[in-house]
Amino acid sequence: MSFEIVSSSGRARAGILSTPHGDIATPAFIPVGTKATVKAVLPESVAQAGGQAVLANAYHLYLQPGSEIIDEAGGLGTFMNWPGPTFTDSGGFQVMSLGVGYKKVLSEEFAGSGKKGRDGSDLEVAENKIRRAHVDDDGVTFRSHLDGSTHRFTAEVSMRIQHELGADIIFAFDELTTLLNSRAYQEESLERTRLWAERCLRAHRELTEQRADKPYQQLFGVIQGAQYEDLRRKAARDLGAMNIDGQEFDGFGIGGALEKENLGTIVSWVSDELPENKARHLLGISEPDDLFAAVAAGADTFDCVNPSRVARNAAIYSPDGRFNVNTARNRRDFSPLVEGCECYTCTHYTKAYLHHAFKAKEMISSTLATIHNEYFTIKLVEQIRQSLIDGTFEELREEALGRFYAGRK
């Protein structure tokens, strides 16, 4: 077994996810190293912050430097000098982000608009975006955001790339729809993703046999279905029971555009249908309220670029909410970003120094802010895990969220 549950409360559970490069104590936040680097920080800093694993992006690494180069280097972990477990996503996210330019998590105001694209497709392109990806039943044709060259991903291509990248946990190729797609298109897309999942299992088995000298890579199926309960449950049942030539999914990713307001509900639908003894990874989530909602609904691991992305804009996470260290009141504040925080930044630097570094546009500003934000998010999920073991999850949830969002009331 690659996943063991050690404690549970309702749908929420604490567990151990085992990989060839070490165990991951869950629930766990997985920092995103899109291009084989968590932006602005060393791998050693990620480990020091408590990171147990990192997630990289198959699409970006395929384009640059090329998955075959990473394979020659000994795999993703060796290439980026990360000794622990690694994840890679399938490239399916680019179907939406490159294709239509919308974010993964959408506010309810966007749901159900039913827009039609100028090219006759189901969805209009987001404002100021260019459609770079086109989906058909066999795969996705897209133009590189780097040089405009044309490429094609299929289930088999995604599996080959991810095997060459060598991550411990990889994801099946899927089509990520948005909440603006029609119900009819969601049904069509769900069936397309189901068929791609079968092809991924078959290709994964073949590649595993061909590369028998490499450590086994766990393949996670990705559950789509947007905001529709029947589609989400169907997808979870289909992939949960899928077996191609003896190959099953080792775990599951919960994907798709989500209404933030319904995140917990959607994850709970999926959790109810998936096998209990396999891990569930929620793709692209990191805000405190989302983390608590997802854990309560049965998710085990999460990844998101947000902690590092907002850090580069001087936004700092604290137990009392997010604040901008760039503001004038921090110019002469010689206290740490967060009193009592044990991250490297807070134990060595002050708000005044980070204020100066951001104003001076020094690169160290992004480094120090990222270290703190990753530490904050990782430690919050560690607290959630311990609360599940101690039986204090609801108390922690009320206290942590009440404090973090107090200023928004």
Side-chain angles (χ1 to χ4, degrees), residues 68-356:
E68 73 284 355
I69 290 177
I70 294 177
D71 193 17
E72 291 175 25
L76 176 63
T78 301
F79 185 64
M80 65 179 291
N81 192 35
W82 174 259
T86 52
F87 293 59
T88 49
D89 67 7
S90 69
F93 177 73
Q94 275 63 42
V95 175
M96 181 179 82
S97 63
L98 290 177
V100 294
Y102 289 102
K103 296 179 180 179
K104 179 182 185 296
V105 179
L106 302 178
S107 299
E108 57 186 355
E109 64 189 274
F110 288 105
S113 69
K115 290 184 178 181
K116 292 290 182 180
R118 296 185 184 88
D119 59 359
S121 59
D122 186 64
L123 180 66
E124 177 63 276
V125 177
E127 187 177 1
N128 299 322
K129 299 289 183 179
I130 298 172
R131 182 177 291 277
R132 292 180 178 272
H134 296 267
V135 185
D136 58 58
D137 287 341
D138 183 60
V140 182
T141 300
F142 62 90
R143 286 190 291 128
S144 166
H145 69 287
L146 297 176
D147 60 9
S149 58
T150 300
H151 303 266
R152 184 162 177 81
F153 272 16
T154 63
E156 293 77 13
V157 169
S158 177
M159 287 298 95
R160 175 183 59 77
I161 290 168
Q162 291 188 82
H163 271 260
E164 290 177 345
L165 294 175
D168 295 294
I169 295 172
I170 63 179
F171 288 87
F173 192 57
D174 62 308
E175 180 185 2
L176 176 59
T177 59
T178 80
L179 299 179
L180 289 91
N181 289 109
S182 64
R183 164 76 190 213
Y185 188 86
Q186 300 286 3
E187 293 175 354
E188 177 187 327
S189 174
L190 200 70
E191 176 62 9
R192 183 180 295 122
T193 291
R194 186 187 71 81
L195 295 173
W196 288 357
E198 291 182 347
R199 290 164 56 185
C200 284
L201 282 173
R202 187 172 291 109
H204 178 58
R205 180 182 177 88
E206 293 172 356
L207 287 163
T208 299
E209 292 173 351
Q210 293 170 17
R211 298 166 59 88
D213 58 321
K214 306 289 185 182
Y216 179 73
Q217 297 171 271
Q218 296 179 45
L219 175 60
F220 282 27
V222 180
I223 310 299
Q224 295 288 354
Q227 72 270 39
Y228 298 102
E229 180 175 2
D230 60 327
L231 297 186
R232 286 283 183 178
R233 289 185 180 275
K234 179 182 185 303
R237 288 194 300 270
D238 287 348
L239 271 64
M242 194 171 284
N243 184 313
I244 303 296
D245 300 328
Q247 180 71 55
E248 299 178 351
F249 286 114
D250 301 291
F252 301 92
I254 304 171
L258 305 168
E259 288 177 303
K260 182 179 176 70
E261 298 81 2
N262 293 329
L263 184 148
T265 300
I266 291 171
V267 174
S268 69
W269 297 337
V270 172
S271 297
D272 287 346
E273 304 293 342
L274 289 174
E276 277 287 321
N277 64 341
K278 294 184 178 181
R280 305 161 191 158
H281 181 86
L282 183 56
L283 293 143
I285 297 297
S286 71
E287 288 299 297
D289 56 341
D290 296 332
L291 293 171
F292 277 98
V295 169
D300 301 301
T301 54
F302 323 86
D303 73 90
C304 193
V305 299
N306 212 49
S308 59
R309 175 176 288 165
V310 302
R312 298 193 295 278
N313 292 311
I316 304 297
Y317 283 101
S318 84
D320 298 304
R322 225 162 70 182
F323 70 92
N324 194 317
V325 75
N326 225 1
T327 57
R329 72 178 190 176
N330 295 304
R331 187 180 180 190
R332 286 185 170 87
D333 189 335
F334 302 108
S335 65
L337 295 178
V338 173
E339 290 286 354
C341 177
E342 297 180 357
C343 79
Y344 176 83
T345 300
C346 287
T347 55
H348 291 79
Y349 296 91
T350 65
K351 291 175 185 172
Y353 180 77
L354 263 77
H355 178 276
H356 156 70

Side-chain angles (χ1 to χ4, degrees), residues 7 14 383-393 395:
S7 180
Q383 285 182 277
I384 293 173
R385 182 179 197 275
Q386 190 60 47
S387 76
L388 292 172
I389 295 171
D390 295 341
T392 58
F393 175 76
E395 290 89 337

